[in-house]
Amino acid sequence: MWKLEEIEQKMENLTVELVNVYSVNGTSGEVDIANKIESKLREFFYFKNNPAQVWTKTVENDSLERKSVFALLKSEQPSNKTILLHAHSDTVTVDDFGELKEFATQPYELMWKLKEVHLAPEVKADLDSGDWLFGRGSVDMKSGMAAHLVVLEYLSENRDAFCGNILFMANPIEETTHCGIIDALSELERLQSEEKMEFECAINTDFVGPLYSGDTTKYIHLGSVGKLLPAFYVKGKETHVGQAFEGLDPNLIAAELTRRIDLNSDLADEAEGEVTQPPVTLKLKDLKPSYNVQTPFASFVYFNYYVHQISPDKILDQLAGIAQDAYESIIKKLNVEYKKHCDRSGNEYKQLPWKARVITYSDLYNQVYGLYGEEVNTRLNRVLDQYSKKMDPREVGRMMVEELLLLDKDQSPVIVLFFASPYVPRNFVKGHTEKESKLLEELNALIEKTEDETDEKFAIHKFFPSLTDSSYLCLDDTDEEIDVLKQNFPGMNTLYPVSIEKIRKLNIPALNFGAWGKDAHKMSERVYKPYTFRTVPTLIQRFCLTILNKK
């Protein structure tokens, strides 16, 4: 049996080794980190004797040839029961480190350099304490990856202590589109079919941290928040700036949409007593390609929308209502301003001709399809064929909206509401099945035992509040909700091909035992060593042994 001090030292050494690998999303470093993980796995005595049980899968159609890494550990006594340990291997950029950029992946050197920097009091106190390890990916989530590897190594040396399989999986491309885990679904499906694996649960170690100043609670999550990306294409009416009231500025409408939706807490979704972050703008722009004295003809805005339970059709109804009100308020404002201007300039005032028009993508598509039939699909597919492999998928979706508007008999200004990439499913372990009920029972017992043994305070939450690959292992959306999503998501099968069928077939309950730290995605990113390097691997190890020893 390993001593706690030995586990802690292994955790720190391995975390630093992983952080040392520059694995920023969208760079060849994502291949480097996969190679590093594979090489570490092949150092384990078990995998030296069973080399075929470590393998990789290259992400299909990926220009960088990034890959997921797998390792399968089998107990001495055969069983189909399987626990999936998974983590993502990529990080966000290091540009936020500024002059210390070259040290972002060198934790010890970085911490010496940070002593020379003016830091916020809390950051300085943590740095001086010696209990924290700084660096890009330290908490998001290479320390979590290290926890899985340490547990896997321990279990590989104690195969008589459990009955079943431990499947390790490290995926790239999490920080942007989750394409690594989406691509890996086929491999999980293959193992489920060919190896007859019965997945008891998945354990992720994505980062958690304080929810408020001074919070030291350690959070375990039973599932993942979902995400949709509602987008608005605002078609206005261009005009010369010398006759500004003769046009309709789409930027004014888009700005009003943003004012009403951005960080509107009334729009935060709630389920099981837990509330998401409210929607926030991720992009807002007009579509003028260059400067001239013509007002813009169209604008484009989209929002991050977290989901706990609200369905796509309700989001469409909700946002379409907001868009209608916003549009009408802008028309009223313009008439007020135009009348004031006419009064001041001595011109005759006549009410402006604008009428608020808001339509969903599916309604626009059906309307146009009723006029032109299959020609509509031919033109939309032409847009996909021409641009899907070389343009931002959100922009391709926008272009498909534009293609429909070209065929629309009504050429008046309009707001078109649709969904864009990505789609992140929502899920959580509810305890409605015997398997899930046992998972929750054992988890509660484990947490109670750990609280008794340590000074830690735990809380179980339903939804991991940030985005995570665990979303793609099971989903709570109904077929009807998925149909509404697809009907309003231009080119979804091409631009964001998520295999709903694979996820439903796998249906792996997904828990998160997160590494604990602060300031993920910031220069001061850091992981708390006493909990993450001791307690997290202990929790995972005990939970695996408990679940794989259940009859």
Side-chain angles (χ1 to χ4, degrees), residues 169-229:
M169 178 177 68
N171 304 115
I173 328 178
E174 190 267 357
E175 294 291 0
T176 49
T177 61
H178 304 276
C179 285
I181 182 70
I182 292 171
D183 177 83
L185 293 177
S186 61
E187 192 67 2
L188 297 178
E189 184 183 42
R190 181 187 70 79
L191 292 168
Q192 187 182 54
S193 175
E194 294 179 7
E195 300 286 338
K196 308 303 180 186
M197 287 187 180
E198 300 170 2
F199 288 104
E200 298 297 310
C201 68
I203 300 176
N204 194 1
T205 45
D206 219 334
F207 76 94
V208 295
L211 298 182
Y212 52 86
S213 180
D215 181 21
T216 60
T217 304
K218 306 307 185 294
Y219 298 96
I220 305 292
H221 294 92
L222 304 180
S224 307
V225 68
K227 169 181 170 171
L228 294 172
L229 197 84

Side-chain angles (χ1 to χ4, degrees), residues 21 179 181 211 218 246 258 285 315 341 381 396 534 536:
V21 181
C179 285
I181 182 70
L211 298 182
K218 306 307 185 294
E246 294 181 12
T258 302
K285 68 173 186 176
I315 291 176
H341 183 72
N381 288 331
V396 180
R534 292 183 190 178
V536 170

Side-chain angles (χ1 to χ4, degrees), residues 297-509:
F297 62 91
S299 294
F300 183 40
V301 57
Y302 53 75
F303 299 86
N304 187 88
Y305 199 120
Y306 281 139
V307 174
H308 278 176
Q309 68 174 354
I310 189 170
S311 59
D313 60 323
K314 290 182 180 177
I315 291 176
L316 289 173
D317 289 344
Q318 177 191 76
L319 296 183
I322 291 174
Q324 183 74 25
D325 288 344
Y327 202 156
E328 290 174 356
S329 74
I330 291 300
I331 292 173
K332 289 179 182 177
K333 169 185 168 59
L334 289 175
N335 276 292
V336 169
E337 297 300 331
Y338 183 44
K339 186 176 187 308
K340 284 163 57 178
H341 183 72
C342 288
D343 290 344
R344 291 186 64 189
S345 59
N347 296 329
E348 180 184 1
Y349 165 75
K350 289 185 178 179
Q351 188 169 355
L352 296 171
W354 315 121
K355 302 293 182 184
R357 184 163 77 107
V358 177
I359 191 169
T360 63
Y361 180 85
S362 60
D363 286 345
L364 178 62
Y365 173 87
N366 291 333
Q367 186 174 295
V368 173
Y369 189 88
L371 296 171
Y372 297 98
E374 277 304 304
E375 181 186 345
V376 175
N377 290 332
T378 299
R379 292 178 64 159
L380 292 177
N381 288 331
R382 190 180 302 141
V383 172
L384 285 171
D385 291 343
Q386 186 172 354
Y387 297 108
S388 63
K389 293 182 180 179
K390 60 184 181 183
M391 283 187 69
D392 182 313
R394 286 147 290 273
E395 297 295 335
V396 180
R398 169 185 64 78
M399 294 170 72
M400 294 177 71
V401 171
E402 290 175 333
E403 195 69 22
L404 290 183
L405 287 175
L406 290 174
L407 296 170
D408 188 13
K409 291 295 186 184
D410 186 348
Q411 288 295 303
S412 65
V414 65
I415 298 175
V416 182
L417 171 58
F418 62 102
F419 292 115
S421 171
Y423 158 60
V424 183
R426 58 187 170 89
N427 61 59
F428 77 94
V429 179
K430 301 169 188 62
H432 291 170
T433 66
E434 183 178 356
K435 179 198 292 186
E436 290 190 358
S437 180
K438 286 183 177 180
L439 285 176
L440 296 181
E441 179 183 336
E442 296 299 341
L443 178 60
N444 284 315
L446 176 60
I447 288 176
E448 184 177 340
K449 176 181 175 64
T450 305
E451 285 184 330
D452 289 341
E453 294 177 348
T454 68
D455 293 330
E456 301 293 355
K457 176 186 175 184
F458 287 87
I460 296 178
H461 285 186
K462 301 294 193 303
F463 302 96
F464 183 77
S466 301
L467 302 173
T468 170
D469 280 345
S470 294
S471 283
Y472 298 89
L473 297 176
C474 59
L475 61 92
D476 291 346
D477 295 299
T478 66
D479 289 340
E480 292 77 13
E481 290 168 348
I482 296 295
D483 285 344
V484 172
L485 173 66
K486 288 182 174 180
Q487 291 165 15
N488 288 280
F489 192 137
M492 180 176 175
N493 289 338
T494 298
L495 298 176
Y496 202 71
V498 178
S499 177
I500 303 300
E501 295 75 18
K502 285 186 175 69
I503 298 174
R504 288 214 192 282
K505 182 179 178 183
L506 288 169
N507 192 32
I508 306 174

